[in-house]
């Protein structure tokens, strides 16, 4: 665990997220985003291959690094996965991907989880060099904790055996305490991959709470008050100021290893990028 950021620069090398519909927003935000920033491109059910490719090409054109998602349970066949990987390779967007299980409760094809995609060997075959995998500091509403831990260890091991670089991107959180407790458990299990802590960018309070409840993230009155908003007033907006200050204050490079931030842009790429720029000037 070398070259880890210090407690005062967790914002160094942050990453962002966009959907296939956010190209115009990316155009507007591009001047605010540092060159080389990683931008994850989602793999949602209401998007098609061309939308995902167009978003990845747009990220590249802005001097940024596309990290296309691969949603295992949305893939209908090995051929569909190969078509997607081949298209990413042709677009020059194959270097980094994020392999995730995806939302569907039942797989549409042969891949029941992201580990099965990694184990297929197709990522390396098509030129992928870096693979992000998911982490869940507050658990997953549909997956038992022991299964999550086994899967995390299995994916890390499979990446290492294939010579692929790995990164863990966590689900977003409102509270630093479960995040740090989870990171310590990850390190205690001998998993040394860099971790990107999921942080919600500035957005409407009602929208943030809705996403939190959907993904089983703590959104009780105590936690959200600590974060900086109230469940009794859902009409305003909130940014992650308090959370990031708490993360920077509690971060211990020796204990936690390499850690960065990943912004979920629920309020849009431009709003998030503007907030990051203002926060960095404070």
């Amino acid at each position: 665990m070398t070259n880890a950021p210090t407690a005062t620069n967790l914002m160094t090398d942050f990453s962002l997220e966009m959907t296939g519909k956010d190209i115009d927003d990316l155009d507007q935000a591009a001047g605010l985003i540092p060159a080389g920033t990683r931008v994850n491109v989602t793999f949602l059910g209401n998007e098609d291959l061309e939308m995902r490719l167009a978003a990845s090409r747009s990220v590249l054109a802005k001097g940024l690094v596309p990290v296309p998602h691969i949603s295992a349970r949305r893939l209908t066949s090995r051929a569909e996965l190969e078509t997607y990987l081949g298209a990413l390779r042709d677009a020059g967007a194959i270097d980094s991907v994020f392999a995730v299980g995806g939302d569907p409760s039942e797989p549409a094809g042969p891949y029941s989880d992201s580990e099965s995609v990694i184990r297929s060997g197709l990522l390396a075959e098509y030129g992928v060099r870096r693979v992000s995998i998911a982490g869940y500091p507050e658990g997953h509403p549909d997956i038992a904790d022991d299964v999550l831990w086994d899967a995390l260890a299995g994916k890390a091991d499979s990446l290492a055996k294939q010579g692929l670089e790995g990164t863990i991107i966590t689900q977003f959180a409102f509270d630093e305490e479960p995040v740090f407790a989870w990171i310590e458990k990850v390190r205690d299990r001998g998993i040394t991959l860099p971790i990107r802590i999921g942080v919600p960018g500035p957005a409407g309070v009602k929208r943030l709470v809705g996403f939190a409840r959907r993904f089983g993230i703590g959104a009780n009155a105590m936690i959200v008050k600590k974060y900086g908003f109230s469940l009794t007033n859902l009409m305003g907006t909130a940014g992650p100021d308090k959370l990031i200050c708490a993360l920077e204050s509690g971060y211990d490079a020796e204990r936690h290893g390499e850690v960065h931030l990943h912004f979920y842009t629920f309020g849009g790429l431009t709003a998030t990028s503007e907030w990051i720029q203002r926060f960095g000037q404070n």
Side-chain angles (χ1 to χ4, degrees), residues 164-183:
L164 296 170
E165 295 181 30
T167 299
I168 302 170
I169 300 178
T170 78
Q171 185 54 271
F172 72 91
F174 291 142
D175 183 12
E176 80 282 1
E177 292 180 7
V179 171
F180 281 133
W182 178 84
I183 291 175

Side-chain angles (χ1 to χ4, degrees), residues 145-166:
D145 284 350
D146 59 337
V147 175
L148 289 174
W149 284 115
D150 287 347
L152 186 65
K155 286 181 282 190
D157 182 64
S158 185
L159 291 176
K161 288 178 178 176
Q162 295 181 54
L164 296 170
E165 295 181 30

Side-chain angles (χ1 to χ4, degrees), residues 3-161:
N3 300 320
T6 68
T8 59
N9 70 347
L10 285 182
M11 294 286 288
T12 300
D13 189 27
F14 64 84
S15 52
L16 299 163
E17 190 151 309
M18 67 177 290
T19 74
K21 299 177 181 178
D22 291 337
I23 292 176
D24 289 344
D25 196 11
L26 178 64
D27 290 342
Q28 184 176 349
L32 302 168
I33 304 173
T37 297
R38 296 160 59 97
V39 180
N40 284 33
V41 179
T42 59
F43 192 118
L44 303 177
N46 59 358
E47 300 168 349
D48 58 23
L49 174 63
E50 205 45 56
M51 289 177 67
R52 297 168 192 136
L53 289 174
S56 294
R57 291 191 193 101
S58 184
V59 172
L60 275 173
K62 303 295 187 297
L64 308 172
V65 178
V67 184
H69 289 200
I70 298 174
S71 181
R73 286 193 290 274
R74 292 193 188 280
L75 295 167
T76 59
S77 65
R78 179 184 174 96
E80 182 181 5
L81 174 57
E82 293 205 60
T83 296
Y84 183 41
L85 293 173
L88 290 174
R89 182 179 60 191
D90 292 345
I94 195 65
D95 184 81
S96 302
V97 301
F98 178 36
V100 65
D103 292 337
S105 56
E106 296 295 329
Y111 305 109
S112 60
D113 52 34
S114 58
E115 188 173 357
S116 60
V117 170
I118 294 169
R119 287 199 314 266
S120 74
L122 289 173
L123 302 184
E125 181 179 327
Y126 275 82
V128 174
R129 295 195 302 153
R130 301 176 178 88
V131 181
S132 298
I133 56 179
Y136 300 93
E138 297 187 63
H140 190 290
D142 301 317
I143 306 174
D145 284 350
D146 59 337
V147 175
L148 289 174
W149 284 115
D150 287 347
L152 186 65
K155 286 181 282 190
D157 182 64
S158 185
L159 291 176
K161 288 178 178 176

